[in-house]
Amino acid sequence: MADLKNLKGVSEKDRRLLEDAESLLGAEPTNMGGVKNMFWGRFREDLYFPYPDMSQERAQETAECDQLLAKLEEYLRNEHPATLIDQDQEIPDWVIRKLFELGVLGMTIPKEQGGLGMGITSYNRVLEMIGKYCGSTAVVVSAHQSIGCKAIMLFGTDEQKQRWLPKLATEWLSAFCLSEPNVGCDAGGQETRCELSEDGEHYILNGEKKWATSGALSSIFTVMAKQKMPDGSEKVSALVCTPDMEGVDIFQKNRSKCGIRGTWQARIRFKDVRVPKANLLHKEGKGLNVALTCLNYGRCTLSAGMLGGAKRAAEQGAKWAQTRYQFQRPLSDFELVRSKIANMAALNYAMESVLYATTGFLDRGDEDIMLETAICKVFCSEMGWRVVNDAMQIMGGESYMTENEIERIFRDSRINIIVEGANEVMQSFVFGYGGKQLAEKMVGVKDAVGWDKDESFGQNFKRISTGMRSKTIRKAAIPLGVEIFLRVRPKPPKITKVDPSLRKVAARLARYVRDHAHEFKRTSARYEEKLLARQIVQARLADSAIYLHAWACTLSRLDAQLKAGADGTEFERDRAAAEHFFAIAETEIDKVFSELYRNTDETMLKAADKAIAYNDSLPNDLFIIPERSPVAKGEGREARNEGVKQFPGGSAVSANQKTDA
C-alpha cells in the first residue's frame, strides 16, 4: 500500500504534519471500525445492529445506576446551587463532598479500590443528568474521572492503583496537565520536558501547563512531558505529580470565563521538580498514548453533559412555546416555532443515539473506535449548541434573564465546540483517518497504472503495461477507473437487520454510504495531493461521514425500540423525531455532495487573503496577541481587568487532601 507522505507535490509542511499525526496516533487497528468502512462504501451491520446496549449483561449495575440517578436528581433539583456556582465562579467544598458521598466522583473506579465500579454507559448517564442542571459541575466530574484518574485506572501498575485510587474514589480531586501556552490541539508539541536524574531514581520536570481543570483543587495530577529517548528521538512520557512536590508552583488558580464559570482551570509551573521514577505511568515515551486514550472517554462525557443541557433547554423552550401567547395564540401554533421544536426533538434523539452507541462500543471493547469517539464529540457539541440556540430564540428576551437558566446553558455549551479537540480539527481527523487506507490504495493503483506527467511516453507505457499484467493491480484498477472516470457506481451495501417498517430508511442509508465512498474517490482523484491542504473540501466529506454515522446510530436505536415493543407518547415523539432526523441528515448530505462541485471556495479564499492583508496593516498594540506568539510575542495590548474577578495563585489543597505520593 502506498504512503501518502511520499506523494509527488506534497509540501514539506504537509509531509511533516502527516508524519506527526501518524507518530501521535500510532498504528491503525487492522480491523476497521464502522465509520472507516463507510469510506469504502461498506456497512458493518454487526457493529451497529443490534443497538449496543449493555444493560442486560450488566443488569445489577444498571439497577444500581438507576438508584444513583434517583438520588442524584433529587439532590440536583432541590439542593444544588447551580446559579450561585455560576455567579460566584466557584463550586463550594460542600458540593464536592456531597458528590463524593453519593459516589459520583468515584463511580468508575473499581469497587476493590473504593469506587462503584460502573461502566462507561452508566457513567455517561450520570454526566447527562448533571449536565441537565449544572454545566460547571458536569465538567469538574468529567475532568476528574474521564482524564484525571482515568489515566491511572487504565495505565497504572497494581501498586500505583492501590496507592492512589482509594483516595481518588472518596476524597481527592485529580487533574490532567496536557495543554500549554503553545500547545492546544497540537498535543505532540509539548514544551514541558523531563529527564532522568543522574542516580536514575527521579525524573527532573521543567515546564508550564495551562487550562488544567481543577488543578488548584487537586491532590494529584498527570503531567505530559517530552523526554529524550535512548535512540535520540523525543517522545512524550506521562508522570504523576502532587502539588506538594518541591518546585510545583500553581501560580494561577483560575480565570474568569464566559461559561462553565464554576470550574477552575489552573496554570502550573514545574521548576526542577523531582518526580519519583515509580510515578511514571505506562512506559517512557508512551505518554501520548495515555493522553489520547483518556480523551476517548472525555469526548463521551463532554457529549453527555451537552446532551443533558440540550434536553433541558428543549423541554423549557417547548413548554414556553405552549404557554406564551402572542396575537391570541400560543407560540407553538406558529410554523417557524414548530420547526424549532421539531429540530430540537430530532437533534436530541440523534445525539442520545450517537452518545450511547459510542459508550456501548467502549463498554463492549470494540477494537477501532478512534473516529466514533471523535464524531460523538463533534456531533453532540454542534447539534447541542443548535438546540440550545433554538430554545433561546423561542423564549425571546426572557431567555437572556439569569434566573431562567437558559442563558447559563447557552454560555456553558459554547466551550464544547472548542475543547477536547476543536471541531474543525476533528473534521480533518475524521476525513484523514476515515479515508486514509482507501486513499493509500488509490495512490498505489495510480503509481502502477496512472499517467505521470514527469515521465516520458516510453517510461509511462512500460510502467503501465507492466502494472496491467498484474492480476492484483487489474482487480483494483479497473473498478476504480470505471467508477471515477465513467461515474458508474457499485451496488450499495445491504442493511437487513432492521424492523420491516424501517427497511426503506435503511435502503436510503445504504445508498448514501455508497455515494459517500464514490464522492470520496472522485474528490481524491480530482485534487490529488492538493487535497491534503484543502481543509474546506475535507470538512465536507467529514460532515458526510458524521451524518451517516449519526443516521446509522439513530436507525439502530429506533429499531431496538420497535423490537422491544415500545409505545406511548414518549415513543411516538421518539419515532417522529428519528424520522425527522433521517430527513435532516439526507438533506445535509445532499448539500455536502452538491458543494463539492458548486461552492464559494474561490471567492472565499480571495476574501480571506484580502481580509488578512488588511488586518496585517493594523498595529498589534490595539489587539490581544497570543502570549507565546512566534511572530508578535509581547506586541499586543494588555487586557483590561477592571471589574474582572481575579483569583490568587498558590495551591488550594486542604490539609486533609495532602498526599504521601
Side-chain angles (χ1 to χ4, degrees):
M1 192 175 285
D3 191 329
L4 293 178
K5 298 190 300 296
N6 297 328
L7 269 173
K8 290 183 180 180
V10 175
S11 71
E12 189 58 33
K13 214 185 318 186
D14 287 333
R15 197 185 313 277
R16 283 199 305 270
L17 185 64
L18 286 169
E19 288 173 351
D20 289 346
E22 290 177 357
S23 172
L24 184 68
L25 293 163
E28 286 192 80
T30 53
N31 186 20
M32 290 191 294
V35 177
K36 287 180 183 175
N37 269 279
M38 289 185 189
F39 276 84
W40 290 76
R42 303 190 291 246
F43 189 83
R44 287 284 302 273
E45 276 196 282
D46 58 316
L47 296 180
Y48 287 102
F49 293 91
Y51 190 72
D53 179 7
M54 304 296 287
S55 60
Q56 297 302 316
E57 291 86 344
R58 302 183 181 186
Q60 182 177 348
E61 177 190 314
T62 301
E64 290 172 357
C65 185
D66 289 342
Q67 294 173 358
L68 174 60
L69 286 168
K71 293 178 186 176
L72 178 62
E73 184 161 32
E74 183 179 0
Y75 158 71
L76 290 168
R77 182 184 291 132
N78 300 317
E79 298 178 53
H80 190 72
T83 301
L84 190 66
I85 286 170
D86 181 66
Q87 296 293 305
D88 286 356
Q89 304 182 55
E90 182 176 3
I91 298 177
D93 287 343
W94 70 265
V95 170
I96 300 297
R97 289 197 301 272
K98 180 70 175 180
L99 294 172
F100 272 122
E101 289 169 13
L102 287 168
V104 167
L105 284 166
M107 66 174 301
T108 62
I109 294 174
K111 290 182 178 181
E112 55 267 30
Q113 269 110 29
L116 300 183
M118 292 189 181
I120 307 305
T121 298
S122 296
Y123 173 42
N124 278 270
R125 291 177 67 199
V126 168
L127 260 294
E128 181 191 332
M129 176 67 73
I130 298 172
K132 190 173 182 179
Y133 289 91
C134 182
S136 290
T137 304
V139 170
V140 167
V141 173
S142 176
H144 171 62
Q145 286 192 96
S146 300
I147 52 177
C149 60
K150 194 71 179 181
I152 297 169
M153 290 170 58
L154 292 174
F155 297 99
T157 63
D158 289 341
E159 187 277 330
Q160 288 172 333
K161 292 176 184 177
Q162 200 53 47
R163 179 158 44 126
W164 294 318
L165 290 181
K167 289 288 189 181
L168 290 167
T170 57
E171 296 180 45
W172 293 352
L173 283 179
S174 58
F176 196 75
C177 299
L178 176 64
S179 297
E180 301 180 4
N182 254 355
V183 176
C185 295
D186 180 12
Q190 302 292 310
E191 295 178 354
T192 297
R193 305 187 64 81
C194 69
E195 58 182 21
L196 270 175
S197 58
E198 289 185 7
D199 61 10
E201 295 300 315
H202 294 83
Y203 294 98
I204 310 302
L205 181 66
N206 286 280
E208 180 181 324
K209 294 295 179 178
K210 188 178 183 181
W211 310 127
T213 297
S214 301
L217 308 172
S218 296
S219 299
I220 195 168
F221 31 78
T222 305
V223 182
M224 299 296 147
K226 273 275 179 73
Q227 181 183 1
K228 194 166 186 177
M229 297 289 105
D231 64 0
S233 65
E234 290 190 336
K235 295 183 179 179
V236 176
S237 295
L239 305 175
V240 176
C241 299
T242 56
D244 52 1
M245 289 179 174
E246 187 175 350
V248 175
D249 177 19
I250 302 174
F251 67 95
Q252 190 171 44
K253 292 181 181 178
N254 189 30
R255 289 164 67 188
S256 187
K257 299 178 292 295
C258 167
I260 56 166
R261 288 160 65 85
T263 66
W264 280 21
Q265 284 75 35
R267 297 191 68 166
I268 309 173
R269 289 194 190 102
F270 302 93
K271 176 64 175 174
D272 295 329
V273 179
R274 295 175 66 82
V275 183
K277 195 171 182 182
N279 285 26
L280 172 71
L281 273 184
H282 199 19
K283 300 175 182 177
E284 290 184 344
K286 295 293 185 181
L288 282 180
N289 181 238
V290 174
L292 294 171
T293 302
C294 290
L295 287 175
N296 281 337
Y297 295 90
R299 285 170 181 153
C300 286
T301 50
L302 177 151
S303 301
M306 179 73 260
L307 175 62
K311 280 187 174 181
R312 176 66 176 165
E315 290 168 356
Q316 174 60 65
K319 185 64 71 176
W320 188 271
Q322 291 171 278
T323 56
R324 166 69 166 164
Y325 275 62
Q326 289 287 276
F327 309 104
Q328 293 79 51
R329 298 165 65 187
L331 295 182
S332 57
D333 270 7
F334 296 96
E335 197 169 77
L336 286 174
V337 174
R338 294 172 72 85
S339 73
K340 287 178 169 52
I341 293 172
N343 283 339
M344 291 192 298
L347 296 181
N348 275 342
Y349 185 84
M351 280 191 285
E352 188 170 1
S353 302
V354 170
L355 170 63
Y356 291 111
T358 310
T359 64
F361 301 151
L362 285 163
D363 271 333
R364 73 188 185 192
D366 283 15
E367 181 185 0
D368 183 12
I369 42 81
M370 62 193 306
L371 296 185
E372 285 73 12
T373 56
I375 286 176
C376 183
K377 186 270 173 179
V378 174
F379 185 79
C380 291
S381 63
E382 177 61 35
M383 301 306 152
W385 170 251
R386 294 183 191 183
V387 168
V388 177
N389 194 50
D390 278 347
M392 289 279 289
Q393 193 68 17
I394 289 172
M395 288 188 67
E398 281 291 338
S399 70
Y400 246 53
M401 301 301 108
T402 300
E403 66 270 19
N404 290 331
E405 300 184 353
I406 296 297
E407 64 87 27
R408 188 181 75 243
I409 299 175
F410 182 80
R411 288 185 286 105
D412 288 348
S413 298
R414 187 59 182 83
I415 192 64
N416 293 327
I417 300 173
I418 300 170
V419 294
E420 303 281 9
N423 283 6
E424 292 81 2
V425 174
M426 291 293 97
Q427 284 173 308
S428 290
F429 174 70
V430 169
F431 168 83
Y433 273 82
K436 182 174 181 287
Q437 289 163 306
L438 175 56
E440 288 174 339
K441 178 184 177 182
M442 291 175 65
V443 170
V445 169
K446 182 177 181 293
D447 287 346
V449 297
W451 191 267
D452 189 335
K453 62 181 182 295
D454 294 330
E455 292 182 355
S456 68
F457 176 85
Q459 289 171 321
N460 271 294
F461 180 81
K462 182 178 179 181
R463 177 176 46 78
I464 292 170
S465 59
T466 301
M468 289 306 292
R469 284 197 294 271
S470 164
K471 186 178 178 180
T472 302
I473 294 294
R474 284 200 312 274
K475 188 177 178 181
I478 293 172
L480 196 58
V482 168
E483 185 169 358
I484 291 172
F485 299 111
L486 300 182
R487 303 186 187 180
V488 177
R489 306 178 191 208
K491 290 181 180 179
K494 297 287 186 182
I495 302 177
T496 61
K497 298 179 179 180
V498 295
D499 184 86
S501 66
L502 298 176
R503 284 175 185 163
K504 287 185 178 179
V505 176
R508 280 160 51 202
L509 171 60
R511 287 194 296 273
Y512 275 98
V513 169
R514 184 265 316 272
D515 292 348
H516 171 76
H518 176 74
E519 296 298 347
F520 177 84
K521 293 169 191 171
R522 288 193 64 202
T523 302
S524 298
R526 177 183 173 193
Y527 287 95
E528 296 184 326
E529 71 277 359
K530 294 183 179 66
L531 186 54
L532 294 174
R534 294 303 310 276
Q535 287 189 321
I536 291 288
V537 182
Q538 294 174 17
R540 290 183 183 119
L541 288 165
D543 286 346
S544 170
I546 289 166
Y547 273 108
L548 286 172
H549 176 67
W551 187 340
C553 293
T554 303
L555 178 64
S556 179
R557 180 172 167 227
L558 180 60
D559 173 70
Q561 287 179 290
L562 284 165
K563 289 175 178 173
D567 57 15
T569 57
E570 184 176 356
F571 172 68
E572 290 305 316
R573 179 207 63 185
D574 287 352
R575 181 164 191 164
E579 289 170 350
H580 186 42
F581 178 72
F582 301 147
I584 290 172
E586 191 168 352
T587 301
E588 291 294 331
I589 296 169
D590 281 339
K591 181 181 176 184
V592 163
F593 291 165
S594 174
E595 288 182 351
L596 288 171
Y597 304 97
R598 295 188 62 191
N599 53 60
T600 60
D601 292 2
E602 189 175 335
T603 54
M604 176 275 293
L605 292 169
K606 181 179 178 181
D609 285 342
K610 300 304 180 186
I612 291 168
Y614 168 74
N615 194 268
D616 199 38
S617 71
L618 303 177
N620 288 344
D621 60 9
L622 294 178
F623 304 96
I624 304 296
I625 299 292
E627 61 184 291
R628 298 286 178 86
S629 168
V631 294
K633 181 180 177 181
E635 295 180 12
R637 74 172 179 85
E638 286 198 22
R640 297 182 61 176
N641 285 317
E642 305 97 300
V644 177
K645 183 170 181 176
Q646 300 300 308
F647 298 81
S651 175
V653 179
S654 59
N656 68 343
Q657 288 181 304
K658 288 294 183 185
T659 72
D660 56 3

